[in-house]
Amino acid sequence: MNPLAGLRPVVELADPRTLARLYKAGTLTPLTPVAVGFSLPWLAGRGQSLGIVSQMNSLAVGAKPAIHDRYGMMTFRELDANANRVAQALRRLELKGGDRVGLLLRNGREFAEVVLGTQKTGIVACPFNTWSQPKE
């Protein structure tokens, strides 16, 4: 096995197309290098995921709005903190990477928090369609 294989996700993150997308989305700030630095061990070990993006956004643009839903606005920092709580709860249930969790949630902060929480633990989120009929 190539000892540098763990660096591939880091190199992919530095791809100019990825950086251009992040810039367009407004998530590149002076704190972005700090956020990437804090996330490098996880990024090199587990690779890219929504969980790592949540952590990086919390550090780089934490006070910016992440979600507007029926309850109001939630910042990237609040979203990441709630996702971390979900991840900790899943670990307390002794779930681990590769396990699957079914989700029956409508669109909103709860869905985002659970999906990000599963991504942080390596658990696979399996959303169900809330509009499905019983026979489906």
Side-chain angles (χ1 to χ4, degrees), residues 4-118:
L4 299 177
L7 294 177
R8 183 172 181 232
V10 176
V11 171
E12 289 173 355
L13 183 65
D15 182 305
R17 292 171 297 192
T18 302
L19 293 173
R21 279 190 217 116
L22 291 172
Y23 178 77
K24 248 179 134 173
T27 58
L28 285 181
T29 71
L31 288 176
T32 299
V34 174
V36 172
F38 275 108
S39 304
L40 277 177
W42 185 18
L43 188 58
R46 294 209 28 219
Q48 298 175 14
S49 75
L50 292 175
I52 194 72
V53 171
S54 175
Q55 177 182 331
M56 289 170 55
N57 282 340
S58 173
L59 294 168
V61 292
K64 284 190 174 186
I67 293 178
H68 291 275
D69 67 3
R70 64 191 174 278
Y71 300 115
M73 188 273 295
M74 173 184 268
T75 67
F76 280 104
R77 189 171 297 116
E78 292 167 330
L79 177 60
D80 190 59
N82 289 349
N84 287 337
R85 282 193 275 286
V86 168
Q88 292 165 3
L90 293 169
R91 286 187 191 112
R92 282 193 300 275
L93 292 170
E94 298 182 9
L95 295 169
K96 58 189 177 313
D99 288 346
R100 287 163 174 69
V101 174
L103 310 179
L104 187 58
L105 298 165
R106 295 200 183 277
N107 290 340
R109 63 183 64 200
E110 300 89 358
F111 185 86
E113 292 164 353
V114 174
V115 168
L116 293 172
T118 59

